Amino acid sequence: METLVNNISIEKSSSSKIGSVDFDNLPFGSIYTDHMLVCEYVDGDWERPKIKPYANLSLDPASKIFHYGQSIFEGMKAYKDEDGQAWLFRPEDNHARLNISASRMAMPELPKEYFMEGLTALLQLEKDWIPTTEGSSLYIRPFMFASGVGFHASPADRYTFLICLAPSGPYFGGKVKVLIEEKFARAANGGVGYAKAGGNYAAQFYPTKLAVEKGYQQVIWTDDNTHEFIEEAGAMNIFVRINDTLLTAPTNDRILDGITRKSILELAKAEGIQTEVRKVKVSEVVDAAQNGSLKELFGAGTAAVVSPIAGFGYQGKDYELPELENSFAKRLKKRITDIQYNKVEDPFGWRFKV
Amino acid sequence: METLVNNISIEKSSSSKIGSVDFDNLPFGSIYTDHMLVCEYVDGDWERPKIKPYANLSLDPASKIFHYGQSIFEGMKAYKDEDGQAWLFRPEDNHARLNISASRMAMPELPKEYFMEGLTALLQLEKDWIPTTEGSSLYIRPFMFASGVGFHASPADRYTFLICLAPSGPYFGGKVKVLIEEKFARAANGGVGYAKAGGNYAAQFYPTKLAVEKGYQQVIWTDDNTHEFIEEAGAMNIFVRINDTLLTAPTNDRILDGITRKSILELAKAEGIQTEVRKVKVSEVVDAAQNGSLKELFGAGTAAVVSPIAGFGYQGKDYELPELENSFAKRLKKRITDIQYNKVEDPFGWRFKV
């Protein structure tokens, strides 16, 4: 495997779409920049990554991505500080997780240099696309899928890795209400829930649609066996504040090892907030809501950042959460975004200069 | 929704690849015919299906299929009888199951006429591609995927349905040995295991690869909670013969409702074979193997037809199955393929003339 040193071919787009974009009213993940990074895995090896104009992909209808869902992805963001310098947040952790997902989905691991140098070269070319409006950032989508062909249900012999960029506003608009799931489940024991595999997301669409029809934005998944324990929310990990203690479920083979989740845990400790990583019972959350000790619920994820939850539904009943002066969610969101946007020192070494 | 009556546009290929195909040595699912059926779902409605030359698809890199695994498929076969007439086997059941899968994956249902008329028109055009060699058939792959774009983890607004055809030999070559899984799992309670969703298949690749490295061809999945009960084998449902009784697990939300499975159950009853559809314990199969009452294990599925299993591994130990004179697998395979190839009467009304 070759070690790249910024020797990535760049084919520039003849014109830019950037002038047509309203950076003050960005949707989430639906406007794409002028270029993308493409890297092909052929004959057991990764070819050199290339930067090309953003354009359609041409694929054989028998490509296994269409049939067997062999795909993985990552979610990242680039931030711009007041001096116009671009930053990433713990990008090497995204690379490491991409390869954990790849291994579980029987896909080839991507060398770290290909990921880091490809990402850096693409961001340097597209740095004007990083929004500076409050709450906006450049969402980064690295993804890999089976481009090899065949109807035999077995791993493909060709894969394509891409990075696409989307200047984006907030993932959620307005207040977030969640439904604690009692029937459907997101992941099996011994399954692929801990991998950022495409199929994990499509599987959530229908139960989430049912929840949306009832007035909730997201589902909080519970374990598939007893539905007694809180797992994660699909697009984010879940934190529960009971009195002044912050709880979250331990990661396991059903729960994504969220980078925002683990950063929030470290920040909370640094802030002197009591944290407990342990199994969280639904009944415990409901009891706490009833006796007034449930102070906050919030989600944490790259797309959603830190999303306070205004209320939850469970067994046909709705529970509202108080609006707090001293909210952990607000405090921790400020701490993490201040680091991400280079507004404060970064004692953790999380920030990465592009 | 419009009701089609064979009014499907056909753009013919300028030349045929058929002359280059060795019909006596067909692989499974890796040679494709000259044409495909394509149908697009746009603005809340299905457009009229079109038959076109088999060619690459052009897709935006942000199409949700690449990111969220929103895809479903079916597997069918076309058979040719001695008079050159083409037949399908229970095609309306495939259509019904496609829509069950679509519903679970938050995808649009496909009208029955579009499926049946599209399939028939395509097969009439491609009938010369149906192999006549013993054990070969034209494998049919209807599939639907999210072609709409966006990085928001929610259902797409556009979908593409296709039917591609692949003249194919047997799915398995040689004897099949299976490993009864103790750690990994295929499906969650309340999950998507009963849907023919792409992601269910990619999730099996890694555990299957580990099994293949140990000398097995397939994994027999057990329930994700206790691993005590036999579920299915991913590419096929599983039948167990203990003494003269044929057992198979009941379908549930983790197990695919196989068309071959239910046909085999009906054929067995018609043959006077005692059948039991009930939960089957792994320990029961192991005990039967040890005391000699385990006579047969076989898989049943469209691709695999009826596949006798020569032996299985469990907890580090291998169990061999006897070769029987009066094998249920052999007998039922002959019964079902005789109907499929129009060699005998079809009292069940399963055969469908193309």
Side-chain angles (χ1 to χ4, degrees), chain A residues 29 32 54-62 67-68 73 104 141 143 150-151 153 171 184-185 189-190 198 202-203 206-207 224-225, chain B residues 29 32 54-62 67-68 73 104 141 143 150-151 153 171 184-185 189-190 198 202-203 206-207 224-225:
Chain A
Y32 312 103
Y54 187 93
N56 274 15
L57 307 174
S58 175
L59 285 162
D60 194 301
H67 304 271
Y68 301 127
F73 68 97
R104 181 59 181 86
R141 173 52 60 88
F143 61 111
F151 295 155
Y171 191 81
F184 295 105
N189 297 298
Y206 175 70
D224 81 310
N225 182 30
Chain B
Y32 312 104
Y54 187 93
N56 273 16
L57 307 174
S58 175
L59 285 162
D60 193 303
H67 303 272
Y68 301 127
F73 69 96
R104 181 60 180 87
R141 172 52 61 88
F143 61 111
F151 295 155
Y171 190 81
F184 294 105
N189 296 297
Y206 175 70
D224 81 311
N225 182 30

Side-chain angles (χ1 to χ4, degrees), chain B residues 21-36:
Chain B
V21 175
D22 177 2
F23 277 86
D24 291 328
N25 293 288
L26 289 169
F28 182 87
S30 56
I31 293 166
Y32 312 104
T33 70
D34 294 323
H35 300 87
M36 61 187 187

